[in-house]
Amino acid sequence: MNPALDAPHPIFSNRSLVFALATLCCLFWGSSYPAIKGGYALFEVVRGDIPSTLLFAGWRFTLAGLVLLAFARIGGASLRLSRRHWQGVVSLGLGQTTVHYVFFYVGLANTTGVKSSVLNGAVSFFGVFLAHFFVQGERVTLAKVVGCIVGFLGVLAVNFNPELLDLSFTLLGEGFVLIAAFIMAAGMVHGKSISRTLDSTVMTGYQLFIGGSVLLFAGTVSGGHLAALTPASAALMAFLVFNSSVALSLWSVLLKYNGVGMISVFNFLVPIFGALLSAWFLNESVLEWKNLLALLLVCSGIWLVNRRR
């Protein structure tokens, strides 16, 4: 499939607004880092407990999908899909939500959090290169390659740690994290193709609901367990549901009307925001040299990829 870019949208093709919204999405995803850690504590999910992790994610994504579908219906969108659209949203849900999440969290369980955060930055590289082959009008240029490298250096800076000097590589650890990054990038290209003929909110809602339901089933049958719901855990789950639904629906709209490479490079901001927000919640200093250097490098990378020639 070789979809062309959609006609410019009067709102979602405005570069200043697009950059602001893409940054907002990454801020939402970055805030998930401390929120998920808090959720694991409240729901009593211990590190390495994959079934309970899948169950936790299943509830989060399934509820987020239902929220988006309800919002789309209230807004007047039809939830009825053609056979071709069903095939698209099912493949997107199973790939970008279910399979991606399984690969990432199995990989995370077999490597360090620092390495996972760095390797996950490969999403931007994969997004730029996949768009070159599958999206008409998008080409890999020297500026894009340099921009991705500079942005990746920013991710390395914010995660600077002696652990990074350990160059060991295993398939179930670092390998699975890289596979998850590739699946995420491929999902962006695939989702852009589907959204050309389907409302982005409806597409994302079905994607999350289908993928989340499979995670929910897998976590349940494999023996996953979550602690009883409390006001605190319910509030945190509500935040994560809101976070996922808003960020993913906005991201889908931005991809629909803009280039994959242009938007995917903003993924470098996610670990930056995650580190800054985690430090803030832990009452640590946010204004460390490595954080400021990382932010400068990532912003420079984004500018290089998206600068007008």
Side-chain angles (χ1 to χ4, degrees), residues 31-146:
S31 69
S32 295
Y33 283 47
I36 290 173
K37 288 182 181 178
Y40 287 167
L42 291 172
F43 285 99
E44 300 177 5
V45 178
V46 297
R47 181 177 176 82
D49 183 357
I50 300 296
S52 298
T53 302
L54 297 180
L55 191 62
F56 179 83
W59 279 115
R60 174 190 174 190
F61 294 132
T62 302
L63 292 173
L66 289 173
V67 168
L68 278 179
L69 291 174
F71 178 77
R73 189 69 189 92
I74 293 170
S78 172
L79 302 185
R80 297 182 64 181
L81 303 182
S82 66
R83 181 177 179 179
R84 182 168 64 88
H85 284 149
W86 271 118
Q87 291 173 341
V89 296
V90 169
S91 62
L92 191 62
L94 294 178
Q96 198 173 31
T97 302
T98 306
V99 178
H100 165 264
Y101 195 88
V102 169
F103 269 102
F104 181 76
Y105 275 86
V106 171
L108 185 61
N110 289 283
T111 187
T112 64
V114 170
K115 277 190 173 183
S116 296
S117 183
V118 169
L119 292 173
N120 201 45
V123 171
S124 297
F125 285 103
F126 289 141
V128 167
F129 284 98
L130 285 174
H132 174 85
F133 295 103
F134 296 102
V135 181
Q136 185 178 329
E138 294 203 41
R139 291 289 177 266
V140 174
T141 63
L142 179 61
K144 286 183 179 181
V145 173
V146 173

Side-chain angles (χ1 to χ4, degrees), residues 105-281:
Y105 275 86
V106 171
L108 185 61
N110 289 283
T111 187
T112 64
V114 170
K115 277 190 173 183
S116 296
S117 183
V118 169
L119 292 173
N120 201 45
V123 171
S124 297
F125 285 103
F126 289 141
V128 167
F129 284 98
L130 285 174
H132 174 85
F133 295 103
F134 296 102
V135 181
Q136 185 178 329
E138 294 203 41
R139 291 289 177 266
V140 174
T141 63
L142 179 61
K144 286 183 179 181
V145 173
V146 173
C148 285
I149 292 173
V150 172
F152 187 70
L153 289 175
V155 177
L156 284 174
V158 79
N159 287 287
F160 183 74
N161 189 295
E163 292 177 7
L164 292 177
L165 300 178
D166 175 14
L167 301 179
S168 61
F169 187 96
T170 63
L171 176 61
L172 289 178
E174 295 80 4
F176 269 35
V177 174
L178 281 175
I179 293 172
F182 180 83
I183 293 171
M184 175 61 73
M188 287 192 288
V189 174
H190 184 39
K192 179 178 179 64
S193 172
I194 299 170
S195 68
R196 296 180 67 219
T197 55
L198 180 63
D199 181 88
S200 298
T201 304
V202 174
M203 179 192 76
T204 309
Y206 274 120
Q207 169 201 340
L208 288 172
F209 177 74
I210 293 168
S213 297
V214 176
L215 288 172
L216 199 57
F217 176 77
T220 302
V221 299
S222 58
H225 173 76
L226 301 179
L229 204 63
T230 65
S233 60
L236 191 138
M237 180 60 78
F239 169 77
L240 286 172
V241 168
F242 171 81
N243 181 308
S244 298
S245 56
V246 172
L248 276 170
S249 58
L250 265 179
W251 195 257
S252 297
V253 173
L254 294 177
L255 284 170
K256 177 174 182 173
Y257 295 107
N258 301 277
V260 174
M262 173 183 177
I263 302 300
S264 68
V265 73
F266 281 87
N267 275 292
F268 285 132
L269 283 171
V270 177
I272 309 297
F273 286 138
L276 295 177
L277 291 169
S278 295
W280 184 58
F281 279 111

Side-chain angles (χ1 to χ4, degrees), residues 1-48:
M1 190 172 293
N2 192 29
L5 292 174
D6 290 75
H9 189 280
I11 298 176
F12 294 110
S13 295
N14 179 292
R15 287 173 68 86
S16 298
L17 181 61
V18 166
F19 293 169
L21 290 177
T23 302
L24 179 63
C25 289
C26 295
L27 177 61
F28 275 132
W29 285 324
S31 69
S32 295
Y33 283 47
I36 290 173
K37 288 182 181 178
Y40 287 167
L42 291 172
F43 285 99
E44 300 177 5
V45 178
V46 297
R47 181 177 176 82

